[in-house]
Amino acid sequence: MLEIEIDGKPVSVPQGSTIMDAAGKVGVYVPHFCYHKKLSIAANCRMCLVEVEKAPKPLPACATPVAAGMKVKTHSQLAVQAQKAVMEFLLINHPLDCPICDQGGECQLQDLSVGYGGVESRFEEEKRVVSNKNLGSLISTDMTRCIHCTRCVRFGQEIAGIMELGMGGRGEHSEIMPFVSRTVDSELSGNMIDLCPVGALTSKPFRYSARNWELSRRRSVSPHCSLGTNISIQVRNNRVMRVLPVENEEINECWISDKDRFSYEALNSAERLTKPMIRQGGEWREVDWKVALEYVARGLKDIVSAKGAAAIGALATPHSTLEELHLLQKLMRGIGSENIDFRLRRSDFRVKSEGAPWLGMKISEVSQLDRLLVVGSHLRNDHPLLANRIRQAAKKGLEVSFINPSEDANRISAKHIAAASPDRIAQTLGGVLSALENTSDSKGVAADIAKSLASGKNVGILLGNLATNHPDASAIHVLASKIAARLGAKFGFTGEAANSVGGYLANALPGKSGLDAASMLKDPRHAYLLWNAEVELDCNDPQAALAAMEKAEMVVAFTSFSHKACEYADVMLPIAPFTETSGTFVNAEGRAQSFAGAVSPLQDTRPGWKVLRVLGNMMGVAGFDYEDSKQVLDEIDLSSSRLGNAPDGDCAAAEPVHGLQRVSHVPIYSADSLVRRAPSLQNAALAAAPAAAMNAKLLAKLGIEDGSPVLVRQGEGEVSIHARLDEGLSDDCVAIAAGHSMTSNLGPMFGQIIVERL
């Protein structure tokens, strides 16, 4: 620890700290633009110049390391004179367009110019004008405002893991620009908007729609991925105008992903369902809530009376709130049915965990690992912010190994990658386990992964969405847990959505006599309650799901949007999305985070927990007398003792698949009903139409060229899409996205397929 003095205040800081760090510790603000605590030091704006005793000239606080006995003055005449001189240079070419700038009211340059800017400019020459750049559907540019702080450039390289912007030119001709004919396509790109200290980069969807001071703020939690990202929902006139991050170092740090930031556009979509609807005589008609719920209650009672309660099944998504999932299962069990499940994309239910499958550690502890094995996960797509944590840890020495059908390292510096076809993932894990037990005789990538893991002191093993939804999920679970036990490692699941853990705690699971999601579709029920579920997009096997819906006597869709259920449902009830209701999400580490509605429900939309409360009373189920969602939450046991990843049995791997194998993941902007309806996200590069991706060897074997149309057959369905070269895929694997309308005619996410040239 070094003792220094800042503005007469003594402070003790660790060796290697900068003056900026020390100033922050004693609460002294040093003006700055290019400095950011999560980015490397650039020291190119020079706004943080301070006076250091015995130094011949002012020094940048962000880049000057402290020394024992150093005396710093941040507001002396010399320091302020230097800061004002820098501000004058920054304002020389800056346009005077604050009244129309979206950054107005929250602009660092605007704020600091009040304290350090002059009354008028001495610059009489023409100001330079910089052409705007096309960065895609999410970020709007006004590059004449740019002050070249390079925060956006460093963010891409250091946080997003890809250099998408750079600086070209010299001196007054310097410009921040993308590469030729390229847009900014990172799944974290919207954070550049927050980082920009001026109005050079602003939100394209939000552009010119509201002023900062007109917005009220509501703290909330993202419903998309399993991290439980903390967000601020900003509202004007009962309408969500934008979403920004709320800093929480233990969860999302100071970042949010683009789907967290821009999915709010769907809340005002033309597809919003705003009134209860009943189909009669093949026609849909709007009714009031009393009529709709009485119709549902009467229909369910008739089916229970004629066919028994087991003839009814409930399918929910893990994007629902904890309270909704709890009341849904309570309603089902109250009428005598154990058929309820929220794990719609799973296909293998042979082995269960002793508790609710969770991350196995705190999210912040991932950064402290020195060895990590990730099995079956497209991290950047499924968990962008977790991928960032691992990316930063890998720069500091974490050795990351992957077992995936593809060699894609998620822009993470990987130590080892085992590209295994889906039917060989369990076999590869078995090879790692065998190598740990017989270290001297083992060779190959599985042995290399085993050696890496065995050399660590703080080891983690994570199973991703692909591993969870895999037909061999049980065998993968058992083998991974054995490896973790052998190493004394932390073992867990990344989770699919906001309540992947919460669904277990709410007991939205089949009982002993109940059917899981796959069984409910394979052996169709007479009636289905669909909670937030679009079965053709949210289920593992869309063919089986749609066939089951067509055979059912009654399908009740509780949904925020009008969708394909119009073709097979009998009743559609408008329930509120997360911004219009109160509720709780339990994230991957088991942390429960409650939130209140940010706006009032749209038109006749109602909070889901209230709809279930009334329906429960109409069905004559006891215990549905709630006055608020807090009373529902109080019924649920959220203790950490209910978390557990240990398998309750053993399971052998399935037989290898012969022929071509389908590999599926759900694209980042197809994962749930909100992102599917956000226009700006759907126009982004990551929302490109699904393709049949294969390596060059398989393309040549099938006589198909990259980009040519192909016919893909699976089960009784077929789709026509384009082929795409992906050298990272293992042989005999064809990667085709699930959860997308273009591929919803196909069968399960994994299995044998046929690909033919058109």
Side-chain angles (χ1 to χ4, degrees), residues 180-507:
V180 179
S181 301
R182 294 284 297 275
T183 54
V184 173
D185 302 324
S186 160
E187 66 281 358
L188 300 173
S189 65
N191 291 290
M192 292 181 181
I193 298 168
D194 298 335
L195 286 172
C196 184
V198 293
L201 304 179
T202 55
S203 169
K204 190 169 281 189
F206 178 71
R207 189 172 174 84
Y208 299 146
S209 61
R211 306 300 290 178
N212 168 58
W213 53 85
E214 298 174 330
L215 303 174
S216 56
R217 278 83 172 158
R218 305 286 187 273
R219 185 163 180 162
S220 190
V221 182
S222 168
H224 302 299
C225 77
S226 64
L227 258 67
T229 301
N230 290 197
I231 56 176
S232 171
I233 298 175
Q234 305 200 345
V235 177
R236 187 185 69 173
N237 296 334
N238 201 48
R239 183 185 177 102
V240 176
M241 304 303 295
R242 68 174 175 178
V243 173
L244 295 180
V246 171
E247 185 171 352
N248 188 332
E249 278 297 317
E250 295 184 342
I251 299 176
N252 55 291
E253 301 176 88
C254 56
W255 317 116
I256 57 174
S257 67
D258 287 352
K259 65 179 178 180
D260 297 329
R261 184 183 300 271
F262 297 109
S263 64
Y264 73 88
E265 286 185 296
L267 299 170
N268 304 301
S269 164
E271 294 183 42
R272 274 297 298 270
L273 184 67
T274 56
K275 293 183 180 297
M277 299 175 69
I278 295 176
R279 182 162 62 176
Q280 292 183 331
E283 298 292 328
W284 285 100
R285 68 183 185 93
E286 295 178 353
V287 297
D288 62 32
W289 272 102
K290 186 174 186 295
V291 171
L293 290 177
E294 284 177 348
Y295 182 88
V296 173
R298 185 168 58 251
L300 294 178
K301 286 178 180 178
D302 289 345
I303 290 174
V304 171
S305 174
K307 306 290 194 322
I312 303 175
L315 300 171
T317 69
H319 298 93
S320 310
T321 68
L322 188 68
E323 292 81 356
E324 292 167 352
L325 292 172
H326 173 72
L327 290 183
L328 183 62
Q329 66 85 24
K330 187 175 181 179
L331 173 67
M332 291 298 292
R333 290 183 164 90
I335 63 177
S337 175
E338 295 284 343
N339 302 327
I340 178 169
D341 207 345
F342 72 98
R343 303 161 299 173
L344 305 189
R345 291 199 172 105
R346 286 196 65 171
S347 59
D348 182 8
F349 299 89
R350 291 173 292 168
V351 170
K352 301 176 182 178
S353 298
E354 292 180 353
W358 67 302
L359 194 64
M361 66 190 96
K362 290 186 177 180
I363 294 168
S364 58
E365 291 176 357
V366 173
S367 305
Q368 300 165 15
L369 299 174
D370 57 19
R371 301 292 185 272
L372 175 63
L373 172 61
V374 180
V375 183
S377 178
H378 195 317
L379 273 175
R380 268 197 316 118
N381 179 90
D382 302 334
H383 309 93
L385 298 177
L386 183 61
N388 172 55
R389 277 193 185 269
I390 295 173
R391 186 180 301 120
Q392 305 312 315
K395 294 177 184 178
K396 299 175 182 176
L398 169 63
E399 290 186 7
V400 188
S401 299
F402 290 95
I403 299 177
N404 269 331
S406 170
E407 291 183 2
D408 178 21
N410 295 285
R411 296 181 186 150
I412 295 169
S413 180
K415 183 72 173 178
H416 302 291
I417 303 177
S421 55
D423 63 341
R424 297 193 177 276
I425 290 179
Q427 181 180 341
T428 306
L429 270 174
V432 174
L433 180 60
S434 178
L436 288 171
E437 295 170 346
N438 305 287
T439 53
S440 58
D441 302 328
S442 303
K443 293 181 180 180
V445 67
D448 293 337
I449 292 173
K451 290 175 184 175
S452 172
L453 295 175
S455 64
K457 294 181 179 178
N458 192 0
V459 183
I461 299 173
L462 295 178
L463 301 185
N465 292 1
L466 186 147
T468 303
N469 299 327
H470 195 283
D472 247 357
S474 294
I476 292 171
H477 183 178
V478 170
L479 288 167
S481 67
K482 287 181 178 179
I483 293 171
R486 176 85 182 181
L487 295 167
K490 297 180 175 72
F491 167 56
F493 296 78
T494 56
E496 180 182 352
N499 258 330
S500 290
V501 175
Y504 284 89
L505 300 180
N507 198 27

Side-chain angles (χ1 to χ4, degrees), residues 713-725:
R713 290 195 179 97
Q714 186 182 19
E716 298 178 358
E718 61 181 39
V719 297
S720 176
I721 53 181
H722 286 81
R724 180 170 60 83
L725 174 64

